[in-house]
Amino acid sequence: MAKMHFKHATMNSGKSIDLIRTAHNYEENGYKVLVIKPAIDSKGRDCISSRVGLERKADYLILYSDNILDILKGKLSDISCILVDEAQFLSINQVDELFLISKACDIPVICYGLRINFKMESFAGSKRLLEIADVLEELTTLCSCGKIARYVGRKVGDNFVTDGEEIVIDGTFNIEYAPLCGSCYLERVKKIDLKSIAKTLRR
């Protein structure tokens, strides 16, 4: 039976590159894939775009209110894999629909996305994927300090912020995101003095 995969990571970890590579591997061996992208991710328009310049056109742009079962009805007979970019932006129902497709149609579904937002809170889509995906895989990248980055900070100009709407696409309204390790997130975003806390706790 086919599995649903959730490959999660913070920014700059190569999620889009991995999706494009996986699609290419299937197609190079004569198999067809479907590539899905939530429409709210306006970066790259209708393409999956990586930070190193690789691009691939998405087959479907999905609105938050869309029923994926309706959209893909009659279109899966020769499909060997479904690949989903920015899966954190899916609704809970859409994640459930993709899980159903993987089991009913025996088609692997590989979802790529962020695990948590800039407030250290789960996206609805990511939370559901963590709950029901058959396979969880962490892709990693480095924080500027050299440790593994598992968190993401939102910057407005040069300053990290902790308030604002959950979904604002990178590059919009002078907003950028940075991959951070846990220590750097607490120190640089939350402004917590970890050394002082450690000194107090060790007394």
Side-chain angles (χ1 to χ4, degrees):
M1 184 62 65
K3 297 177 180 179
M4 171 183 269
H5 302 247
F6 181 32
K7 296 191 176 187
H8 59 86
T10 188
M11 317 291 294
N12 299 334
S13 58
K15 296 186 297 296
S16 296
I17 293 174
D18 194 86
L19 185 155
I20 293 169
R21 178 189 60 79
T22 301
H24 175 74
N25 285 345
Y26 269 95
E27 291 170 339
E28 192 174 38
N29 287 286
Y31 300 104
K32 290 186 179 180
V33 301
L34 278 182
V35 177
I36 293 174
K37 172 182 171 179
I40 195 170
D41 179 35
S42 56
K43 184 181 55 168
R45 303 169 306 283
D46 62 346
C47 290
I48 312 300
S49 58
S50 73
R51 295 176 187 273
V52 299
L54 295 177
E55 280 194 346
R56 181 195 173 92
K57 187 175 174 59
D59 297 298
Y60 295 97
L61 295 179
I62 303 295
L63 298 173
Y64 195 75
S65 58
D66 281 343
N67 184 304
I68 293 178
L69 298 179
D70 289 342
I71 291 172
L72 298 185
K73 184 177 180 180
K75 301 178 176 70
L76 296 174
S77 60
D78 59 349
I79 297 301
S80 296
C81 185
I82 297 172
L83 300 160
V84 186
D85 195 37
E86 304 292 355
Q88 72 273 7
F89 296 143
L90 296 174
S91 70
I92 292 172
N93 286 340
Q94 289 169 340
V95 173
D96 287 346
E97 289 160 4
L98 288 167
F99 183 80
L100 178 60
I101 288 171
S102 74
K103 305 313 176 195
C105 300
D106 199 23
I107 298 173
V109 176
I110 306 176
C111 298
Y112 296 82
L114 300 173
R115 182 172 57 91
I116 54 175
N117 63 23
F118 74 103
K119 298 179 183 180
M120 276 186 159
E121 299 170 350
S122 295
F123 290 93
S126 299
K127 182 175 184 294
R128 189 60 177 152
L129 282 162
L130 289 167
E131 291 169 342
I132 70 172
D134 299 291
V135 180
L136 301 174
E137 180 181 346
E138 182 183 31
L139 305 178
T140 59
T141 191
L142 294 180
C143 176
S144 59
C145 73
K147 297 176 184 176
I148 296 296
R150 293 190 170 93
Y151 308 92
V152 58
R154 176 184 286 179
K155 298 178 76 174
V156 178
D158 295 327
N159 301 310
F160 284 104
V161 297
T162 56
D163 295 319
E165 295 181 18
E166 179 179 57
I167 300 174
V168 180
I169 304 303
D170 192 19
T172 307
F173 307 122
N174 199 30
I175 286 176
E176 295 180 354
Y177 294 93
L180 300 167
C181 70
S183 297
C184 285
Y185 184 93
L186 293 175
E187 290 177 336
R188 299 172 64 187
V189 180
K190 295 287 192 178
K191 309 300 182 187
I192 295 174
D193 187 345
L194 295 182
K195 291 182 179 178
S196 177
I197 291 174
K199 189 178 296 184
T200 302
L201 293 173
R202 287 170 177 159
R203 284 177 181 167

